[in-house]
């Protein structure tokens, strides 16, 4: 009778096994092929213009004739030119008006439309989000007619109530709040959706436990809602601040930077310097200063909210 040999024991292969080198290289090439269209677009329309603008910021480029290297002269002018300093002050004022108002209105409305007892919540959310879909330039045109002292409906309604508003867009005191109001009306719907998403991530058991312990509505908001929304609030604040620093569309349409330069923001100054005065080098330097200011403010907010999150843990 022939003797049968027992098969030798082979240990089980590790999960997943080893990926052949050729397969890894082929996968990387396929991934690069899929990414290449996006990389080409980013290189042509983002990276290359940014590098070109950085080069121009050290020259006296005007778009015509030869360019001469001027070193840091454009950057020194950014912090010494009276028009630019006024534009920076106007931008800061606009950010102070726009950012808190947009965030507070969006958060309050998010709390209201997220309440489970509110009927037609979907309809309310859609109606509040609609202004964000409208183009800011179109909204600015519409609000310009609403605020018109002769044919504007808003002035007509206020006159019926005994209030004479006048020409708001030509008033040095009221022009900036008016354009900030248009931006708040246009943008709060976007922040509203983000806040609703953050509120829906908060476990309902926390609110139930707080109610059992006798916590009031304000205490539940302060000790549960706000801490749990810290990351969402940080994101919304950064996005709103960046939008405020880049204010241009409604100001260009409604006031053109006037009256007397009271609504001339940094981006408006970049547009005026680059396309009207043909000072492309100076406009590029001002653009990079604005970029640096935006990065610094964003990092400060990230550190502040990151520290608060660590303290909460």
């Amino acid at each position: 009778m022939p003797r049968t040999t027992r098969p030798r024991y082979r240990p089980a292969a590790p999960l997943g096994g080893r990926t052949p080198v050729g397969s890894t290289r082929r996968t990387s090439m396929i991934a690069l092929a899929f990414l290449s269209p996006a990389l080409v677009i980013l290189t042509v329309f983002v990276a290359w213009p940014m590098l070109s603008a950085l080069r121009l910021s050290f020259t006296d480029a005007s778009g015509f004739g030869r360019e001469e290297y001027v070193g840091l002269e454009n950057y020194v002018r950014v912090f010494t030119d009276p028009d630019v300093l006024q534009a920076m002050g106007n931008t800061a004022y606009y950010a102070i008006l726009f950012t808190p108002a947009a965030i507070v209105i969006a958060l309050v409305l998010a709390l209201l439309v997220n309440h489970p007892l509110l009927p037609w919540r979907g309809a309310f959310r859609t109606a509040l989000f609609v202004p964000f879909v409208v183009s800011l330039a179109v909204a600015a045109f519409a609000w310009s007619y609403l605020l018109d002292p002769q044919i504007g409906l808003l002035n007509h309604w206020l006159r019926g109530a005994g209030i004479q508003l006048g020409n708001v867009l030509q008033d040095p005191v009221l022009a900036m709040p008016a354009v900030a109001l248009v931006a708040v009306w246009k943008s709060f719907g976007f922040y509203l959706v983000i806040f609703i998403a953050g509120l829906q991530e908060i476990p309902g058991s926390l609110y139930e436990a707080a109610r059992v312990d006798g916590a009031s509505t304000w205490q539940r908001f302060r000790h549960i809602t706000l801490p749990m929304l810290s990351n969402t609030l940080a994101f919304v604040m950064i996005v709103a601040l960046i939008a405020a620093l880049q204010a241009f569309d409604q100001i260009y349409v409604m006031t053109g930077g006037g009256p007397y330069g009271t609504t001339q923001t940094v981006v408006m100054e970049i547009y005026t310097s680059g396309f009207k005065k043909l000072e492309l080098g100076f406009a590029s330097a001002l653009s990079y200063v604005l970029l640096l200011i935006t990065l610094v403010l964003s990092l400060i907010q990230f550190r502040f909210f990151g520290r608060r999150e660590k303290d909460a843990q």
Side-chain angles (χ1 to χ4, degrees):
M1 185 175 181
R3 182 180 298 177
T4 58
T5 58
R6 298 178 60 185
R8 297 181 60 184
Y9 171 74
R10 293 182 179 180
L15 291 177
R18 291 184 177 180
T19 304
V21 177
S23 177
T24 304
R25 187 175 302 168
R26 185 166 56 253
T27 303
S28 300
M29 294 299 295
I30 293 174
L32 184 60
F34 277 106
L35 289 173
S36 57
L39 292 176
V40 170
I41 292 174
L42 288 174
T43 302
V44 173
F45 294 102
V46 178
W48 176 250
M50 289 184 66
L51 293 175
S52 299
L54 181 62
R55 180 186 63 82
L56 289 177
S57 67
F58 296 102
T59 67
D60 62 349
S62 63
F64 301 95
R66 296 182 57 183
E67 303 170 3
E68 294 186 5
Y69 177 78
V70 295
L72 298 176
E73 180 180 328
N74 290 325
Y75 289 94
V76 173
R77 180 185 166 191
V78 167
F79 296 100
T80 57
D81 192 304
D83 294 335
V84 177
L85 295 178
Q86 182 186 13
M88 288 185 177
N90 293 337
T91 304
Y93 179 45
Y94 176 87
I96 292 172
L97 291 174
F98 168 78
T99 307
I103 293 174
V104 170
I105 292 174
L107 180 57
V108 171
L109 292 176
L111 292 171
L112 291 176
V113 300
N114 194 57
H115 198 282
L117 299 180
L118 179 69
W120 305 100
R121 287 188 296 169
F124 281 117
R125 293 174 183 177
T126 303
L128 292 173
F129 185 75
V130 165
F132 179 72
V133 182
V134 180
S135 169
L136 185 54
V138 174
F141 273 114
W143 276 93
S144 297
Y145 282 106
L146 284 173
L147 296 172
D148 189 276
Q150 302 299 328
I151 62 173
L153 286 177
L154 186 58
N155 273 284
H156 176 71
W157 294 333
L158 291 176
R159 278 196 298 269
I163 301 174
Q164 188 68 31
L165 196 58
N167 195 344
V168 175
L169 299 180
Q170 295 300 321
D171 191 321
V173 177
L174 298 178
M176 185 63 84
V179 296
L181 172 65
V182 175
V184 171
W185 176 84
K186 166 70 171 63
S187 305
F188 80 90
F190 174 68
Y191 309 136
L192 169 76
V193 172
I194 298 174
F195 278 130
I196 291 176
L199 289 171
Q200 292 179 349
E201 293 295 323
I202 301 176
S205 58
L206 296 177
Y207 293 106
E208 293 296 332
R211 289 191 188 96
V212 171
D213 292 339
S216 63
T217 303
W218 168 250
Q219 289 174 331
R220 293 195 300 269
F221 174 77
R222 179 182 177 185
H223 297 289
I224 297 177
T225 305
L226 277 184
M228 298 294 290
L229 278 179
S230 59
N231 290 335
T232 304
L233 187 60
F235 173 77
V236 171
M237 285 188 66
I238 292 170
V239 173
L241 182 61
I242 292 174
L245 295 178
Q246 295 177 347
F248 175 78
D249 300 45
Q250 79 277 19
I251 296 175
Y252 180 80
V253 171
M254 298 176 71
T255 64
Y260 311 112
T262 53
T263 60
Q264 182 82 352
T265 59
V266 173
V267 179
M268 280 291 298
E269 187 66 31
I270 293 172
Y271 169 80
T272 303
S273 300
F275 295 98
K276 290 186 176 181
K277 300 179 181 179
L278 296 180
E279 298 176 344
L280 297 181
F282 174 70
S284 300
L286 185 55
S287 301
Y288 267 91
V289 170
L290 178 62
L291 174 63
L292 181 61
I293 293 173
T294 305
L295 289 176
V296 170
L297 292 176
S298 300
L299 289 175
I300 291 173
Q301 292 190 53
F302 269 122
R303 289 184 62 87
F304 173 74
F305 283 97
R307 187 175 302 171
R308 283 193 58 183
E309 186 176 1
K310 290 181 181 178
D311 294 341
Q313 293 175 354

